[in-house]
Amino acid sequence: MADKTLSGEVFYPTEDAIRQAHVKDWDKMREEAERDLEGFWAKEANELHWFQHWDKVLDDSKKPFFQWFVGGKTNIVYNCLDRHAETARRNKLALLWEGEKGEFRSFSYFALRREVCRFANVLKSLGVKKGDRVTIYMGRVPELPIAMLATARIGAVHSVVYGGFTVEALAERIEDSQSKLLITCDGAYQRGKIVPLKQIADEAVQRAGTIESVLVVKRTGEPINMEQGRDLWYHELMALPIANGGCQIEVMDAEDPLYMLYTSGTTGKPKAILHTHGGYMVGTYTTLKYVFDIHEEDRFWCAADPGWVTGHSYIVYGPLLNGATSFMYEGAPTYPYPNRWWQMIEKYGINILYTAPTAIRGLMRFGEAWPNRHDLSSLRLLGSVGEPINPEAWKWYHRVIGKGRCPIMDTWWQTETGMFMITPMPCVPLKPGSGTRPFPGVKMDILSEDGKPVKPNEEGFLVIKTPWPAMLRTLYKDPERYVQQYWSKYPGMYMTGDSARRDEDGYYWVIGRVDDVIKVSGYRLGTAEIESALVSHHAIAEAAAIGLPHEVKGNAIHAYVMLKAGQQKTDTLVEDLRQHVSKELGPIAKPEHIEIVDSLPKTRSGKIMRRVLKARALGQDPGNLTTLEE
Ligand code: WTA
């Protein structure tokens, strides 16, 4: 039970929250998991369906290439849909959706399975086979999860590219994955405007050169170019007899790939994180069940985009594995008015809201009157993810949205981890700004540069010391970089790329990235991607990008560029460059500020020293400069 002697500002769980929670004593759960890690995960895995039971829970003989549920046969989609569609849950709502213009669509488990089977039949008729990669580039419409599930049902591997990315980002991801099929929309609604997804896709398809067919979902009805022999309408194919009937599920090995998701790492181009059917399924199922304490009657809203890992794990897979009702909304939180979210919570009786600090800070700016106009009493739990939440935003969220009744699950995790890693549960005393402690069965630590655990409240590198089922298996086509990027700094330990400290109560406080990743509004971008977009502009010779603190976005991108010889500094150049990045990479990557400089600080080997730029911008001491060129 709640320990009353914790330091600092603590919010204790209510008796009510503890009474209805699946887990009432997480220390006991943690002890059990530590005593028998494989038994702990096997118990959870046994709640799901396997065509064939596994021989071994964890095989670490080829570490860091860990394998989970070795020899087991399953398909995550069977557990997401068929398992429920064949029981009393068949009529339960699986997916609820509201469009930006206010339309509403819903799917029962039975109906969602039917749509997924129909679409899977269409994919098969286009020649998609087990192991093929399918790129999905769509807005937030129900056909997006349907496309993901249909792909996985037939054993193909989905690669979802966030709909906020543009030409170059999409082209690179298509090419790297060698996808032959692209699924997209004619356009997407965003704040009343239309994002021309198909037009962007056309340009990317041309640059990438691997795509043979493009399937287009009609969302806006705006006229678009359809290329004969390559482009096909989703609704036309779904109306053909080939779509009808069930679709036999592909029996997958637990370790077979489920999806790849590109994310920015330390250097160079984004790499695809690879997740599997078996372990990822067990990890997302278990963590969602216990952390957001899923009950049969719950309506769960994860307000992320399905194009990022949060949407994969906690809009699509986690909720469906749990037989829960997942709500998805197409548009922006403040459109047309800042009460849009609160209105939908009231309208649909949402019980759990899971979002990012940047959204909370953005909504806070509009004041309390907007949420106060709505009945938010259905809410029971709140969640936060993507970046550290500042205590001020935490307390606003807790008081104004949760009315002081709803505990906040501040979940730390990554594309790579697939599932929550540092997170409270409803029975746990909370401290605003801390994700509390690692999930049972997960061992983490904070180390100094030389690999020793740091003292309480000292900052260090956050590492993971035990394998977990939803862990990435490798980087697609680049196993060496997988080892080098994650497993080489400290032998036998997974390097998160974050820094953190742990207080005297063992609570973790994540500070932020220590590598070349910038978190802008919770979105993960790499300095290399932004710089390469900048130098693809005809006037630019070299560029450096850094993240600087921003009140709402967490971090904002600041860029420094050097012009090519003979190029003139014009009044419009900076704005031109910002637009160029937005067009190549996406509006989220548009630098807040660009400065034209005569030189960039570099090491003698020619590496740009971003930390020097950052220190200068913040008016801080740049530290050791002995490696600086001049
Ligand atoms: C950051 C998102 C503090 C962190 C699920 C991590 C967080 C990166 C939190 C992964 C949190 C995520 N508190 N920081 N609760 N959650 N982060 O891959 O820096 O998009 O390494 O996955 O987000 O970002 P990614």
Side-chain angles (χ1 to χ4, degrees):
M1 281 302 118
D3 173 358
K4 297 281 178 187
T5 59
L6 297 174
S7 68
E9 190 171 18
V10 185
F11 289 73
Y12 289 95
T14 62
E15 295 295 323
D16 247 15
I18 297 175
R19 195 174 323 112
Q20 63 179 320
H22 288 306
V23 179
K24 298 183 190 349
D25 182 351
W26 78 335
D27 286 321
K28 194 165 141 246
M29 188 173 177
R30 182 171 289 109
E31 278 157 30
E32 277 168 20
E34 274 176 26
R35 208 175 318 122
D36 177 13
L37 184 71
E38 294 188 34
F40 174 80
W41 288 111
K43 180 171 158 282
E44 298 300 329
N46 268 320
E47 295 180 6
L48 297 161
H49 177 272
W50 297 80
F51 297 110
Q52 188 181 307
H53 198 269
W54 57 87
D55 306 317
K56 200 168 177 354
V57 174
L58 171 65
D59 179 358
D60 59 5
S61 60
K62 295 185 213 68
K63 67 184 167 204
F65 297 94
F66 294 92
Q67 296 200 314
W68 285 85
F69 306 102
V70 185
K73 304 274 185 212
T74 187
N75 185 315
I76 193 169
V77 180
Y78 188 92
N79 280 295
C80 285
L81 300 176
D82 303 63
R83 196 164 65 93
H84 313 300
E86 280 155 24
T87 67
R89 277 203 191 118
R90 67 202 290 268
N91 295 322
K92 178 172 173 176
L93 290 172
L95 188 65
L96 291 175
W97 176 84
E98 184 167 310
E100 194 176 84
K101 301 169 98 178
E103 317 95 298
F104 170 69
R105 289 170 72 190
S106 69
F107 300 82
S108 66
Y109 272 95
F110 188 84
L112 189 60
R113 179 176 63 167
R114 185 186 59 230
E115 290 310 293
V116 167
C117 283
R118 282 158 47 74
F119 193 32
N121 288 333
V122 167
L123 293 178
K124 276 206 240 172
S125 77
L126 291 171
V128 179
K129 287 189 215 53
K130 181 172 178 176
D132 288 352
R133 279 82 54 214
V134 172
T135 300
I136 301 176
Y137 176 65
M138 299 170 79
R140 274 195 294 261
V141 288
E143 285 78 9
L144 172 44
I146 290 171
M148 291 164 71
L149 294 161
T151 304
R153 185 172 190 94
I154 60 172
V157 180
H158 58 72
S159 166
V160 181
V161 178
Y162 170 55
F165 278 132
T166 46
V167 185
E168 187 53 27
L170 177 59
E172 241 176 51
R173 286 158 173 79
I174 291 174
E175 195 173 10
D176 187 74
S177 67
Q178 296 284 300
S179 296
K180 294 198 206 101
L181 176 69
L182 172 69
I183 309 172
T184 188
C185 296
D186 54 354
Y189 288 108
Q190 184 65 16
R191 309 195 66 86
K193 294 204 195 80
I194 290 174
V195 184
L197 292 182
K198 176 63 167 59
Q199 196 187 316
I200 296 167
D202 281 343
E203 224 179 306
V205 164
Q206 219 166 35
R207 281 193 208 179
T210 64
I211 296 291
E212 292 166 6
S213 327
V214 180
L215 252 172
V216 188
V217 173
K218 189 177 252 172
R219 170 66 187 123
T220 65
E222 290 287 297
I224 54 161
N225 158 56
M226 291 291 278
E227 196 175 302
Q228 270 270 324
R230 188 197 70 184
D231 300 351
L232 301 155
W233 283 108
Y234 172 87
H235 63 271
E236 286 181 2
L237 295 187
M238 288 288 269
L240 295 176
I242 45 147
N244 288 343
C247 168
Q248 218 189 343
I249 199 148
E250 191 73 34
V251 174
M252 303 299 283
D253 194 274
E255 282 292 310
D256 275 339
L258 165 66
Y259 71 76
M260 45 208 275
L261 191 53
Y262 285 84
T263 193
S264 316
T266 306
T267 49
K269 291 185 174 183
K271 281 281 166 192
I273 304 289
L274 205 70
H275 282 296
T276 58
H277 273 261
Y280 177 80
M281 168 174 85
V282 175
T284 51
Y285 167 72
T286 309
T287 47
L288 184 67
K289 177 176 62 173
Y290 294 133
V291 172
F292 284 106
D293 200 38
I294 300 295
H295 289 274
E296 201 59 65
E297 64 279 16
D298 282 334
R299 289 183 163 192
F300 175 73
W301 180 12
C302 165
D305 190 283
W308 298 86
V309 75
T310 310
H312 280 57
S313 295
Y314 300 110
I315 296 177
V316 184
Y317 291 112
L320 297 178
L321 287 167
N322 277 283
T325 299
S326 185
F327 176 70
M328 183 168 141
Y329 165 59
E330 181 181 37
T334 52
Y335 187 82
Y337 301 106
N339 66 332
R340 184 61 182 263
W341 275 19
W342 320 129
Q343 197 180 34
M344 291 188 295
I345 287 172
E346 176 171 11
K347 180 168 167 192
Y348 298 112
I350 302 293
N351 307 100
I352 304 158
L353 172 67
Y354 181 39
T355 184
T358 189
I360 298 160
R361 291 190 294 258
L363 288 159
M364 245 171 99
R365 286 190 310 175
F366 294 99
E368 294 175 28
W370 290 101
N372 286 346
R373 278 166 50 188
H374 297 276
D375 177 5
L376 304 181
S377 61
S378 59
L379 286 173
R380 180 166 63 83
L381 283 171
L382 301 172
S384 174
V385 62
E387 48 177 325
I389 180 164
N390 47 311
E392 195 198 354
W394 194 103
K395 284 188 238 172
W396 187 86
Y397 194 28
H398 188 259
R399 177 176 60 81
V400 179
I401 307 307
K403 310 294 174 203
R405 297 179 288 107
C406 308
I408 297 173
M409 303 297 111
D410 178 1
T411 62
W412 178 94
W413 58 296
Q414 305 178 303
T415 310
E416 290 86 344
T417 70
M419 63 178 223
F420 307 146
M421 298 299 278
I422 300 175
T423 175
M425 293 183 196
C427 64
V428 173
L430 304 171
K431 300 188 189 188
S434 165
T436 72
R437 290 159 64 196
F439 191 80
V442 173
K443 269 200 187 153
M444 299 183 66
D445 210 339
I446 300 170
L447 305 180
S448 61
E449 185 61 44
D450 57 2
K452 298 205 181 69
V454 297
K455 294 195 192 77
N457 292 313
E458 267 178 27
E459 187 176 338
F461 298 105
L462 184 66
V463 298
I464 308 173
K465 294 165 75 175
T466 37
W468 63 102
M471 65 197 301
L472 78 164
R473 293 304 190 268
T474 189
L475 290 174
Y476 181 65
K477 289 197 301 200
D478 204 347
E480 277 129 54
R481 186 159 150 197
Y482 165 70
V483 176
Q484 186 259 326
Q485 183 165 329
Y486 301 107
W487 299 93
S488 60
K489 188 168 170 86
Y490 306 112
M493 290 183 218
Y494 169 92
M495 176 75 184
T496 64
D498 279 12
S499 68
R501 58 186 180 82
R502 195 170 35 201
D503 69 17
E504 49 285 357
D505 298 318
Y507 276 48
Y508 284 70
W509 300 76
V510 171
I511 296 160
R513 301 290 308 192
V514 285
D515 55 7
D516 297 331
V517 170
I518 308 178
K519 277 280 184 159
V520 184
S521 300
Y523 294 121
R524 181 165 165 180
L525 295 166
T527 52
E529 287 169 278
I530 302 158
E531 291 160 4
S532 112
L534 283 165
V535 297
S536 73
H537 187 278
H538 66 89
I540 302 305
E542 281 192 81
I546 58 170
L548 292 179
H550 185 278
E551 212 179 312
V552 176
K553 298 178 183 176
N555 295 287
I557 299 167
H558 288 242
Y560 301 85
V561 295
M562 277 165 65
L563 301 185
K564 278 189 188 150
Q567 289 291 336
Q568 293 301 321
K569 197 166 161 178
T570 61
D571 290 348
T572 54
L573 182 59
V574 164
E575 193 44 36
D576 225 42
L577 283 170
R578 294 179 70 231
Q579 291 308 333
H580 179 74
V581 174
S582 180
K583 180 171 179 292
E584 286 294 302
L585 202 52
I588 47 160
K590 199 199 265 185
E592 191 87 357
H593 180 83
I594 298 179
E595 191 177 326
I596 299 170
V597 294
D598 296 329
S599 69
L600 289 166
K602 285 190 194 159
T603 61
R604 282 182 209 106
S605 57
K607 267 184 72 179
I608 295 172
M609 294 178 85
R610 295 188 192 82
R611 79 176 161 83
V612 174
L613 289 169
K614 196 164 175 168
R616 198 196 70 165
L618 294 172
Q620 292 169 350
D621 173 17
N624 185 352
L625 289 180
T626 50
T627 57
L628 197 67
E629 189 184 32
E630 57 188 57

